[in-house]
Amino acid sequence: MSKASGSRRPRFTGRAAVLALVLCSLIAALAYPTRQFIAQRAQIAQQRAAAEQAQAQVDELRRERARWQDPAYVTAQARERLHYGFPGETPFTSVDPSPSASASASAQSKGQAQAGAASQPWYDNLFESLDASDAAPTH
């Protein structure tokens, strides 16, 4: 027997086993905190994006509030949305002279409702239109 074949060292020694066990333990011990760290970083990024979106919305609302502070803008909105006019003016609304065929059938039924609506104050018409739109089926 030669010395080389008799003193052959095993490939997997006790030290290698302990080293492998230590490495596996470290990996297992660091896996959960690493996963939590990555999840928290993603959550922080998501919260920052939400904060930026909220800040943009706040800025837009501030600009809108500043517009409403201008009396000329308020007057223009009252004229456009509520069809207001100054004393001495005659406000009017233009109507499409050639309604479509489907619109003409519904216009006849609306004609009777509009005749009654003309005798009511504008705010009653507003509330009735809100009730009608609330009751309308959604698609």
Short mmCIF file of all heavy atoms in Angstrom, two decimals, residues 1 13 17 29 34 40 45 51 54 64 72 82-83 88 113 122 125-126 139:
data_model
loop_
_atom_site.label_atom_id
_atom_site.label_comp_id
_atom_site.label_asym_id
_atom_site.label_seq_id
_atom_site.Cartn_x
_atom_site.Cartn_y
_atom_site.Cartn_z
N MET A 1 0.83 -1.17 0.00
CA MET A 1 0.00 0.00 0.00
C MET A 1 0.87 1.23 0.00
O MET A 1 1.80 1.34 0.78
CB MET A 1 -0.81 0.02 1.26
CG MET A 1 -2.06 -0.71 1.06
SD MET A 1 -2.96 -0.65 2.41
CE MET A 1 -3.94 0.17 2.93
N THR A 13 -15.17 17.29 5.02
CA THR A 13 -14.63 17.18 6.38
C THR A 13 -15.58 17.81 7.39
O THR A 13 -16.58 18.42 7.02
CB THR A 13 -13.26 17.88 6.46
OG1 THR A 13 -13.46 19.26 6.22
CG2 THR A 13 -12.28 17.31 5.48
N ALA A 17 -18.39 20.90 6.94
CA ALA A 17 -19.77 20.75 7.36
C ALA A 17 -20.19 21.89 8.28
O ALA A 17 -21.28 22.46 8.14
CB ALA A 17 -19.97 19.41 8.05
N ALA A 29 -31.04 33.47 8.44
CA ALA A 29 -31.26 34.56 9.38
C ALA A 29 -31.43 35.89 8.67
O ALA A 29 -32.16 36.76 9.14
CB ALA A 29 -30.09 34.63 10.37
N THR A 34 -34.12 40.95 4.97
CA THR A 34 -33.89 41.46 3.62
C THR A 34 -35.20 41.59 2.87
O THR A 34 -35.44 42.60 2.19
CB THR A 34 -32.93 40.54 2.86
OG1 THR A 34 -31.72 40.40 3.61
CG2 THR A 34 -32.62 41.09 1.49
N GLN A 40 -40.47 47.26 2.39
CA GLN A 40 -40.61 48.60 2.95
C GLN A 40 -40.14 49.66 1.96
O GLN A 40 -40.73 50.73 1.87
CB GLN A 40 -39.85 48.71 4.26
CG GLN A 40 -40.53 47.98 5.40
CD GLN A 40 -39.69 47.98 6.67
OE1 GLN A 40 -38.55 48.46 6.68
NE2 GLN A 40 -40.25 47.44 7.74
N ALA A 45 -41.70 54.04 -1.69
CA ALA A 45 -41.80 54.60 -3.04
C ALA A 45 -43.27 54.83 -3.40
O ALA A 45 -43.62 55.85 -4.01
CB ALA A 45 -41.14 53.68 -4.04
N ALA A 51 -48.09 60.83 -2.29
CA ALA A 51 -47.94 62.18 -1.74
C ALA A 51 -47.74 63.20 -2.86
O ALA A 51 -48.29 64.31 -2.80
CB ALA A 51 -46.76 62.22 -0.77
N ALA A 54 -51.11 63.73 -4.43
CA ALA A 54 -51.96 64.55 -3.56
C ALA A 54 -51.51 66.02 -3.60
O ALA A 54 -52.35 66.93 -3.60
CB ALA A 54 -51.91 64.01 -2.13
N GLU A 64 -57.63 76.70 -8.68
CA GLU A 64 -59.06 76.87 -8.92
C GLU A 64 -59.67 77.84 -7.91
O GLU A 64 -60.51 78.67 -8.27
CB GLU A 64 -59.76 75.51 -8.85
CG GLU A 64 -61.22 75.57 -9.23
CD GLU A 64 -61.87 74.20 -9.27
OE1 GLU A 64 -61.14 73.19 -9.32
OE2 GLU A 64 -63.10 74.16 -9.23
N ALA A 72 -64.50 88.62 -12.11
CA ALA A 72 -64.78 88.45 -13.54
C ALA A 72 -65.00 86.96 -13.87
O ALA A 72 -65.88 86.62 -14.67
CB ALA A 72 -63.63 89.01 -14.38
N LEU A 82 -75.28 79.10 -15.32
CA LEU A 82 -76.63 79.33 -14.82
C LEU A 82 -77.44 80.23 -15.74
O LEU A 82 -78.58 80.56 -15.42
CB LEU A 82 -76.55 79.95 -13.41
CG LEU A 82 -75.81 79.11 -12.38
CD1 LEU A 82 -75.68 79.88 -11.08
CD2 LEU A 82 -76.52 77.79 -12.16
N HIS A 83 -76.85 80.65 -16.84
CA HIS A 83 -77.52 81.51 -17.82
C HIS A 83 -78.02 82.80 -17.19
O HIS A 83 -79.12 83.26 -17.46
CB HIS A 83 -78.67 80.76 -18.51
CG HIS A 83 -78.23 79.48 -19.14
ND1 HIS A 83 -77.46 79.44 -20.28
CD2 HIS A 83 -78.43 78.19 -18.78
CE1 HIS A 83 -77.22 78.19 -20.60
NE2 HIS A 83 -77.79 77.40 -19.70
N GLY A 88 -81.28 94.51 -17.55
CA GLY A 88 -81.33 95.19 -18.83
C GLY A 88 -80.88 94.31 -19.99
O GLY A 88 -81.12 94.64 -21.15
N ALA A 113 -92.81 69.02 -20.86
CA ALA A 113 -92.11 69.27 -19.60
C ALA A 113 -91.46 70.64 -19.60
O ALA A 113 -91.41 71.32 -18.58
CB ALA A 113 -91.06 68.19 -19.36
N TRP A 122 -85.55 79.08 -11.70
CA TRP A 122 -84.41 78.32 -12.22
C TRP A 122 -83.93 77.26 -11.25
O TRP A 122 -83.49 76.20 -11.66
CB TRP A 122 -83.26 79.26 -12.59
CG TRP A 122 -82.64 79.95 -11.40
CD1 TRP A 122 -82.98 81.15 -10.88
CD2 TRP A 122 -81.58 79.45 -10.59
NE1 TRP A 122 -82.22 81.45 -9.79
CE2 TRP A 122 -81.34 80.42 -9.59
CE3 TRP A 122 -80.82 78.29 -10.59
CZ2 TRP A 122 -80.37 80.26 -8.62
CZ3 TRP A 122 -79.85 78.14 -9.62
CH2 TRP A 122 -79.63 79.11 -8.64
N ASN A 125 -85.90 74.07 -11.55
CA ASN A 125 -85.45 73.33 -12.74
C ASN A 125 -84.14 72.61 -12.47
O ASN A 125 -83.94 71.47 -12.91
CB ASN A 125 -85.30 74.26 -13.93
CG ASN A 125 -86.62 74.82 -14.40
OD1 ASN A 125 -87.67 74.23 -14.17
ND2 ASN A 125 -86.57 75.98 -15.03
N LEU A 126 -83.24 73.28 -11.74
CA LEU A 126 -81.95 72.68 -11.41
C LEU A 126 -82.13 71.43 -10.56
O LEU A 126 -81.56 70.37 -10.86
CB LEU A 126 -81.06 73.70 -10.68
CG LEU A 126 -79.71 73.19 -10.21
CD1 LEU A 126 -78.82 72.89 -11.41
CD2 LEU A 126 -79.05 74.20 -9.30
N HIS A 139 -74.88 52.77 -17.55
CA HIS A 139 -74.53 51.64 -18.44
C HIS A 139 -73.24 51.04 -18.03
O HIS A 139 -72.31 51.56 -17.69
CB HIS A 139 -74.44 52.10 -19.89
CG HIS A 139 -75.76 52.61 -20.42
ND1 HIS A 139 -76.78 51.78 -20.76
CD2 HIS A 139 -76.22 53.86 -20.61
CE1 HIS A 139 -77.79 52.50 -21.20
NE2 HIS A 139 -77.47 53.77 -21.12
#
